[in-house]
Amino acid sequence: MATKRHLSTPMLWLLLLSIQVSQGADELRLSNGTGLCSGRVEVKHEEKWGTVCDGDWTIEDAEVVCKQLQCGSAVQALNRAPFGEGSGPTWLYRVDCRGDESALWNCSHPGWGAFTCPHYFDIGVICSGFSELRLTGGDTACSGRLEVKQEKTWAAVCSSHIDFKTASVLCSELQCGQAVDVLRGTHFGDRHEPIWQEEFHCVGNETHLAHCPRKQHHSKTCSHGATVVCSGYGGYRLANGSTTCSGRVELLHGGTWGTLCDYMWDLPTANSLCQQLDCGVALLIPDGQFFGKGNGSVWNGTFNCKKNGSHLRNCPVTVLGHDECPAGKDAHVVCSGCPGGRLVSGTTCSGIVEIRHGDTWGRLCRIHWNLKAASVLCNQLNCGYAKSIQTGDRFVNGSGHMWRDAFHCAGTESCLWDCDQVTLGNPACSAREAATVICSGVAEPLRLSGGESRCDGRVEISLNGMWSRVLDDDWDIKDAHVVCRQLQCGIAEKAYYLPRSKRGLGLVGLRSVQCAGNEAQLLLCKTSHSHTEPKGVAEDVGVICSGSRQIRLVNGTKRCAGRVELYHHGVWGTICDDNWDLSDANVVCKQLGCGHAIEAFASAHYGEGSGQIWLDDVNCTGAESDLWACSSRAWGQHNCQHKEDAGVLCSEFLSLRLVDGNDCAGRLEVFYNGTWGSICSNRMSQVTAITVCKHLNCGDGGEIATDLKYGRGSGPTWLDHIECTEQHSSLWQCQSDTWDPQSCDNQAEETHISCTGRKEATTPAIFVECPNSTSCSDREKLRVIGGGHGCSGRVEIWHQGSWGTVCDDSWDMADANVVCRQLGCGPAVSALSEAAFGEGTGPIWLEKVHCKGTELSFWDCPAKPLFGKACDHKEDAAVDCSGMTETTASPTRADLPRRPADTTDTTRMSMPIIICIILGALLCLVLAILAGQIRSARAQQRGLRLPYDPFSEAVYEEIDYNLIGEKQHKAGLTDAYSEISKTKAPFYSGDSDEENGPEAIQEVSPLPGNNLEDGYDDVTEAPEPKDAFHSELNEHEIIGIPEESHRNKDSQTDWSSNVSGNTTSKAERDSSPVLEDTGYDDIEELGH
């Protein structure tokens, strides 16, 4: 019974609903208007028609009425009985609609008949009556018969129902330019087509046809439809160009593509076309038929675009026809091909920087804006180069959207979007903090191309819009000075002829340039214009200006970390790590826009460079704007090898990974400010997860895991509210909150992501440290497995995303010592082979490791990557370390992780040690017996002479050594310098001539940590007769370098000032290496 009683309830509701339906549903209509879609609003409720009263009737309310009646969109919302007073009840009062309701009574209101209103408050509506309009049947999209869509049916408009003013409004609404003509269209005849029943009476300034006044036309017949011709056309394109953004202009008219023949084609009009094609700005209009002559139709026309940014279809056309086009009158253009950047609130080449994301323009924050990025934008806009970005309040006004992108440019990019772009974590800014720039103006007709900056490279000149070569048989430093002055690139450092491999084959613009050196422009020098010179002439000329000097980081995994390299005199070179510290590294990071320095690396942490070593003994205060402004030795003067190249890790170095899963699934972490941290998942969409997967090369799909199965992080939570779009290819380009180590409210907000793909197998360089170099500890990239503790076991290294073993071929104590030291486990006890701690799994990464035993890192040892099946896991290498922590640390590296020694480790005696002790004791006993027999025999031969002391030679050698020490002390050397002279020869002959020159006297820094096992690597060769002078110098002067433990800048003194006696000149002491042979035919260099 209970079940039956429960089932009867829905039946009761169904019965009541059927009763209500039988009484009639609510209805809506417009009364007393010009048609079905305008009039007084009336509602039928409870089988009775009534009105609506509202003193605050809005367009949103009217929109619901028009949509409900399928009358298009609302044009006007009227009150106070605009269509006369109604009768009956006031059904609705003070209706409040959002605009998306399906019926008027679904809007908020007090209730049916809640208030009785005088009928002079009745409201009315004018709807458009149609939802769409079109021109159909014409030659182009902007010409044809006018039709409007009413409900789901297209209705034709009679030619008698519109005039020219109406056509003008129509063409503007359709973005088809201006009205050209209104014609009587096709005769309808006996065809039964829907006819629009209203006449349009537009004033001409309306934005939409629906806003024009209308009059009901009661005739149901119409003899001719209205045909409207607008100035627009079907389409446009650039043909026969070298890129999609250059070529001959062609129009689609009447279904046919034809060349535009325009007698008044100019740069503003061409600029509008480039913008419409999303090709940036117009750079030039080449002379003649540069893009060939079209073989199709020719459309004669004259476009007149007065304003940059106008739609080309809004530019009026005066004529269209098929006449032949005279030579040189066909329209053509070369666009920059770089969209999405412009300058506003200033001039064409100065103002506030705006960039476009999608269809949205916004101002760029200036927090990361710099001169290199500004120069790229100026060049992109055909405005030369950036003269200044410090404009004060000159352009600051207005408001609008602010973009937080940071562009990190080298300065040679063609487009701003070619630079590295980082948006993630950047702070928001106000409109008064927008980036600005003042460009030099119209681009110079002179440039240097093919170099590392705009201030070095091959000299080219623009004549008649074409870049041409400059050839000269007598090119000198005076000519180069003029070039550098004209380009505002400082002074000329070198004038040279290009090497054969870089010589041009294009047009020749100038030849035989003869400058006095003080001219403002190259064309003011005595020159020969020579377009007809044969191609391939050898005398292409180049210039290196002082403004070309720059800095970069090399061999890091990404920007803001790597080996420091400087570009000077047209050559990239490195910096020696002598005295290299955080103050120096800070200047590098600041100069590169990479924040502050996290670590200053020495000993070629990012690999050894090649060629020139430019600076040594760099000593920055930290306040310098450029590294070369710091105190240092002269350019090219050093006592280093490339194994001492300096590197930096900056705070803005970014990296991304998924942890506690696999390479393509796990907890999302970002490396910032020297630390790995989590990312919060608030407001994160699947698009952002897909962007992460693309960023990590883990496929094009991914999703956010909600079960937190990849554990919780222990570090900071760096970011929250990351929002990516489908246009982003990297997480760095996405918007987010600013960097904050406490971004998440709790660890449950951390992001876990699973990607659909897997990383493709790659072949990176051996010893790419896990999983990103510069950001892992040694225990993350090197480990021992299978022993009873962390200081013995099978050696495994991280490479290519997985742990793998090392083959025991050539495995010895030197290799084991490096492993043990790096793990903080003291010296090695034994180097074990043949899988002494069990066979490993996975890849075998290395074989034939050849450590010397003094390396600070296992990655510094020479090794051979294993290819094929030359080794299997039965040959896995292993170590047994003493477990004693070391006390000597390198001052140039971060302290390595140390394992605390316990009593078990320090007191244990392994079998190899016991055997060595026994054998050593037996050997000592044998030697003692043998020495006694020798002494007895000699005593017998010498008669009564005293027995010979076998250690007298050693005593003599020691006395001789002490005398040398005294000699050094008398020469004024400190004890520290004398100590180093024991381990380091005063000059080094092991480097190539390329690095040090044939006569250079080089000094070799001691290895970090004062390890002397590698002493044989630093011993000088025996002097030949031609080196007699150097041998004599060695006896009278010993030059030392302080130990690394004494390389504190605050207590450092000039090493050369302590030397007395017979000293060499400064030129001999700081001999500069010969510049690397770049293949240039040097002519002149400016002396320093």
Side-chain angles (χ1 to χ4, degrees):
M1 291 296 291
T3 305
K4 290 182 180 180
R5 194 163 47 248
H6 176 73
L7 291 175
S8 65
T9 303
M11 295 299 292
L12 179 60
W13 281 109
L14 184 60
L15 179 61
L16 291 173
L17 181 61
S18 64
I19 294 173
Q20 183 178 4
V21 171
S22 66
Q23 291 178 348
D26 298 327
E27 297 181 31
L28 181 72
R29 71 184 180 187
L30 298 177
S31 299
N32 209 31
T34 59
L36 297 176
C37 293
S38 65
R40 182 177 57 250
V41 179
E42 294 186 352
V43 177
K44 184 180 180 182
H45 181 66
E46 295 180 352
E47 298 298 320
K48 186 180 294 187
W49 286 99
T51 60
V52 178
C53 174
D54 197 337
D56 190 24
W57 184 249
T58 66
I59 197 71
E60 287 80 9
D61 307 327
E63 190 72 32
V64 174
V65 172
C66 294
K67 182 172 61 176
Q68 184 176 351
L69 293 172
Q70 296 185 338
C71 281
S73 58
V75 176
Q76 284 183 285
L78 305 171
N79 52 25
R80 291 187 177 269
F83 296 100
E85 296 182 12
S87 60
T90 303
W91 279 127
L92 294 176
Y93 170 70
R94 297 188 66 86
V95 178
D96 186 12
C97 301
R98 299 187 307 272
D100 58 353
E101 293 86 353
S102 59
L104 182 64
W105 41 83
N106 290 339
C107 301
S108 174
H109 61 87
W112 291 100
F115 184 78
T116 301
C117 210
H119 281 294
Y120 57 80
F121 284 112
D122 290 345
I123 53 95
V125 169
I126 298 177
C127 304
S128 66
F130 52 87
S131 56
E132 295 181 55
L133 53 87
R134 69 184 181 185
L135 295 175
T136 182
D139 291 334
T140 71
C142 292
S143 64
R145 186 177 63 186
L146 174 60
E147 293 181 351
V148 296
K149 189 176 184 180
Q150 186 177 19
E151 297 184 3
K152 297 182 179 180
T153 305
W154 287 98
V157 178
C158 280
S159 60
S160 59
H161 291 179
I162 68 170
D163 56 12
F164 193 82
K165 290 181 178 179
T166 302
S168 294
V169 174
L170 171 68
C171 291
S172 176
E173 182 177 353
L174 293 176
Q175 294 189 332
C176 280
Q178 297 179 349
V180 176
D181 205 352
V182 179
L183 306 172
R184 292 182 68 184
T186 306
H187 189 279
F188 290 129
D190 297 330
R191 290 178 298 170
H192 299 286
E193 298 186 28
I195 304 298
W196 183 251
Q197 297 298 313
E198 292 179 333
E199 295 178 3
F200 293 94
H201 297 279
C202 300
V203 177
N205 59 1
E206 296 89 349
T207 57
H208 294 81
L209 189 62
H211 295 170
C212 295
R214 284 174 279 177
K215 181 180 179 181
Q216 186 74 20
H217 194 277
H218 298 290
S219 174
K220 299 291 185 181
T221 62
C222 181
S223 60
H224 292 83
T227 296
V228 178
V229 178
C230 304
S231 65
Y233 38 84
Y236 39 85
R237 68 185 182 187
L238 297 178
N240 207 35
S242 59
T243 69
T244 57
C245 291
S246 64
R248 186 180 61 254
V249 181
E250 292 188 349
L251 302 182
L252 177 63
H253 189 69
T256 303
W257 285 102
T259 299
L260 172 63
C261 183
D262 191 345
Y263 288 77
M264 301 181 66
W265 183 254
D266 57 11
L267 204 61
T269 308
N271 202 48
S272 182
L273 174 62
C274 291
Q275 292 178 10
Q276 289 306 300
L277 295 176
D278 208 27
C279 283
V281 299
L283 297 179
L284 58 94
I285 299 176
D287 294 336
Q289 293 182 340
F290 186 77
F291 297 108
K293 186 176 182 180
N295 54 8
S297 301
V298 175
W299 297 114
N300 284 314
T302 301
F303 287 78
N304 185 17
C305 282
K306 296 293 186 182
K307 182 180 179 182
N308 286 346
S310 298
H311 285 270
L312 202 61
R313 62 173 54 191
N314 290 338
C315 304
V317 181
T318 56
V319 182
L320 279 175
H322 289 272
D323 297 339
E324 287 295 324
C325 189
K329 297 303 181 183
D330 53 330
H332 42 254
V333 65
V334 176
C335 307
S336 66
C338 300
R342 68 185 183 188
L343 299 175
V344 299
S345 301
T347 66
T348 304
C349 291
S350 65
I352 297 173
V353 179
E354 283 194 348
I355 60 173
R356 188 187 72 206
H357 282 291
D359 294 327
T360 305
W361 285 94
R363 300 183 176 194
L364 182 67
C365 291
R366 70 182 177 207
I367 184 170
H368 292 291
W369 188 240
N370 57 62
L371 208 58
K372 284 187 176 180
S375 282
V376 172
L377 179 62
C378 290
N379 178 66
Q380 170 181 329
L381 297 176
N382 200 28
C383 286
Y385 58 90
K387 296 179 68 175
S388 175
I389 59 174
Q390 304 296 332
T391 60
D393 295 334
R394 178 173 175 181
F395 303 114
V396 177
N397 56 36
S399 59
H401 191 89
M402 301 297 299
W403 293 116
R404 294 182 282 172
D405 304 70
F407 294 95
H408 302 281
C409 305
T412 57
E413 295 86 354
S414 301
C415 303
L416 194 61
W417 301 102
D418 294 336
C419 304
D420 288 337
Q421 177 194 354
V422 177
T423 306
L424 194 74
N426 290 344
C429 63
S430 66
R432 296 187 61 84
E433 298 173 300
T436 59
V437 63
I438 298 176
C439 304
S440 62
V442 178
E444 289 281 353
L446 180 71
R447 72 180 182 186
L448 299 175
S449 67
E452 295 290 334
S453 69
R454 71 174 193 89
C455 292
D456 70 293
R458 179 175 59 248
V459 183
E460 294 181 352
I461 191 166
S462 176
L463 297 176
N464 299 321
M466 298 301 300
W467 287 107
S468 307
R469 303 153 62 201
V470 175
L471 307 182
D472 201 326
D473 294 321
D474 191 23
W475 185 251
D476 59 22
I477 200 73
K478 294 180 180 178
D479 307 325
H481 273 309
V482 176
V483 172
C484 295
R485 182 181 299 113
Q486 182 174 347
L487 295 176
Q488 296 193 16
C489 284
I491 61 174
E493 292 183 339
K494 182 188 289 187
Y496 63 90
Y497 296 126
L498 264 71
R500 195 172 294 274
S501 61
K502 296 185 179 180
R503 290 170 185 168
L505 295 174
L507 296 174
V508 177
L510 289 179
R511 187 179 178 87
S512 302
V513 180
Q514 295 181 358
C515 300
N518 56 2
E519 293 87 350
Q521 296 182 1
L522 192 65
L523 287 176
L524 297 179
C525 303
K526 295 179 181 179
T527 59
S528 171
H529 295 265
S530 182
H531 289 281
T532 59
E533 289 293 326
K535 296 181 179 180
V537 179
E539 298 86 352
D540 291 81
V541 298
V543 170
I544 298 174
C545 306
S546 60
S548 65
R549 190 176 299 161
Q550 55 187 299
I551 189 171
R552 70 181 182 187
L553 298 178
V554 177
N555 214 32
T557 56
K558 298 176 184 68
R559 61 176 297 273
C560 294
R563 181 177 64 247
V564 183
E565 291 192 354
L566 298 178
Y567 188 71
H568 177 66
H569 263 286
V571 177
W572 283 104
T574 63
I575 295 177
C576 183
D577 64 8
D578 291 345
N579 303 315
W580 186 252
D581 63 10
L582 276 178
S583 297
D584 310 323
N586 261 322
V587 174
V588 173
C589 294
K590 180 174 63 175
Q591 186 175 351
L592 290 171
C594 287
H596 62 273
I598 297 296
E599 190 158 0
F601 289 107
S603 303
H605 180 83
Y606 292 99
E608 296 183 11
S610 61
Q612 190 64 37
I613 299 176
W614 275 128
L615 292 180
D616 190 10
D617 290 330
V618 177
N619 188 357
C620 302
T621 64
E624 296 86 353
S625 58
D626 302 306
L627 186 66
W628 43 83
C630 301
S631 171
S632 70
R633 294 196 188 195
W635 287 94
Q637 294 187 6
H638 64 88
N639 61 342
C640 304
Q641 304 168 64
H642 280 296
K643 66 182 181 181
E644 301 171 77
D645 287 341
V648 298
L649 170 64
C650 304
S651 60
E652 295 295 318
F653 171 82
L654 300 176
S655 191
L656 195 68
R657 69 182 183 183
L658 293 170
V659 297
D660 292 340
N662 56 55
D663 287 342
C664 293
R667 187 178 65 256
L668 183 62
E669 289 191 346
V670 63
F671 185 84
Y672 174 75
N673 201 29
T675 306
W676 285 104
S678 300
I679 291 178
C680 315
S681 58
N682 294 312
R683 289 214 310 254
M684 185 174 290
S685 65
Q686 187 177 8
V687 173
T688 301
I690 292 173
T691 303
V692 169
C693 295
K694 290 180 179 178
H695 185 123
L696 294 173
N697 296 319
C698 286
D700 296 329
E703 59 184 16
I704 301 173
T706 58
D707 52 4
L708 306 179
K709 63 181 179 180
Y710 299 114
R712 296 186 176 184
S714 58
T717 53
W718 277 125
L719 288 170
D720 199 3
H721 298 141
I722 299 178
E723 297 180 7
C724 301
T725 67
E726 293 179 353
Q727 286 72 39
H728 292 141
S729 59
S730 165
L731 190 69
W732 312 144
Q733 300 169 359
C734 302
Q735 301 279 339
S736 74
D737 290 348
T738 55
W739 295 101
D740 183 351
Q742 296 179 340
S743 293
C744 299
D745 292 333
N746 56 73
Q747 290 182 321
E749 297 178 2
E750 292 178 330
T751 304
H752 296 238
I753 288 179
S754 296
C755 302
T756 58
R758 297 287 298 172
K759 286 189 177 180
E760 296 181 1
T762 56
T763 310
I766 293 300
F767 292 135
V768 175
E769 299 169 359
C770 77
N772 296 287
S773 65
T774 76
S775 53
C776 299
S777 70
D778 288 336
R779 287 199 181 276
E780 286 181 299
K781 63 194 174 190
L782 178 68
R783 69 183 184 186
V784 289
I785 298 294
H789 46 76
C791 287
S792 65
R794 180 178 61 254
V795 178
E796 293 189 357
I797 62 172
W798 177 275
H799 174 57
Q800 211 168 315
S802 64
W803 289 99
T805 61
V806 177
C807 185
D808 63 7
D809 292 351
S810 305
W811 187 254
D812 58 19
M813 284 294 291
D815 309 321
N817 263 321
V818 175
V819 171
C820 293
R821 184 185 303 113
Q822 187 169 349
L823 293 175
C825 290
V829 175
S830 57
L832 306 173
S833 59
E834 296 182 352
F837 288 93
E839 296 181 14
T841 58
I844 301 174
W845 287 127
L846 295 175
E847 66 170 338
K848 297 184 178 178
V849 179
H850 291 287
C851 299
K852 298 173 184 174
T854 57
E855 291 86 353
L856 291 174
S857 171
F858 191 57
W859 320 119
D860 297 333
C861 299
K864 177 183 177 182
L866 182 64
F867 297 106
K869 298 183 178 180
C871 194
D872 57 35
H873 284 295
K874 294 180 179 179
E875 302 171 79
D876 286 343
V879 296
D880 189 8
C881 308
S882 67
M884 299 177 63
T885 57
E886 295 172 284
T887 58
T888 303
S890 168
T892 60
R893 282 181 180 254
D895 288 342
L896 302 175
R898 300 298 184 210
R899 176 183 179 276
D902 53 60
T903 55
T904 304
D905 292 337
T906 54
T907 58
R908 64 186 178 91
M909 278 288 204
S910 64
M911 184 59 66
I913 294 179
I914 297 175
I915 294 175
C916 288
I917 293 175
I918 296 174
L919 292 177
L922 292 175
L923 181 60
C924 290
L925 181 61
V926 171
L927 290 176
I929 295 172
L930 182 61
Q933 292 178 348
I934 293 173
R935 291 179 60 188
S936 176
R938 288 184 176 178
Q940 292 176 0
Q941 292 175 359
R942 295 177 183 176
L944 298 176
R945 292 192 307 178
L946 291 172
Y948 178 73
D949 186 355
F951 298 103
S952 60
E953 233 177 274
V955 172
Y956 175 82
E957 291 293 328
E958 184 67 20
I959 293 172
D960 184 49
Y961 181 84
N962 290 334
L963 289 175
I964 293 176
E966 292 176 9
K967 189 174 185 178
Q968 291 172 345
H969 184 71
K970 291 178 180 179
L973 294 173
T974 65
D975 293 339
Y977 298 160
S978 299
E979 184 66 19
I980 286 188
S981 68
K982 303 173 186 177
T983 62
K984 176 179 176 182
F987 28 96
Y988 181 82
S989 59
D991 286 353
S992 64
D993 294 341
E994 180 184 11
E995 291 187 15
N996 300 294
E999 299 297 331
I1001 300 175
Q1002 293 293 311
E1003 303 166 31
V1004 181
S1005 300
L1007 287 172
N1010 300 325
N1011 294 316
L1012 303 181
E1013 295 91 331
D1014 194 29
Y1016 65 84
D1017 202 27
D1018 295 329
V1019 177
T1020 58
E1021 298 178 3
E1024 296 179 8
K1026 64 180 181 180
D1027 294 324
F1029 167 77
H1030 295 302
S1031 300
E1032 183 178 353
L1033 175 66
N1034 190 32
E1035 292 182 6
H1036 292 282
E1037 179 188 27
I1038 298 178
I1039 299 174
I1041 302 297
E1043 296 182 13
E1044 295 200 0
S1045 58
H1046 296 286
R1047 286 162 59 179
N1048 188 319
K1049 290 191 176 185
D1050 295 334
S1051 61
Q1052 180 181 327
T1053 57
D1054 186 356
W1055 57 269
S1056 60
S1057 63
N1058 292 328
V1059 180
S1060 62
N1062 297 328
T1063 60
T1064 58
S1065 69
K1066 187 178 188 301
E1068 293 171 326
R1069 207 168 53 238
D1070 296 338
S1071 57
S1072 175
V1074 178
L1075 287 177
E1076 180 188 32
D1077 184 7
T1078 61
Y1080 296 150
D1081 298 324
D1082 293 353
I1083 301 168
E1084 292 188 41
E1085 291 189 39
L1086 192 63
H1088 295 283

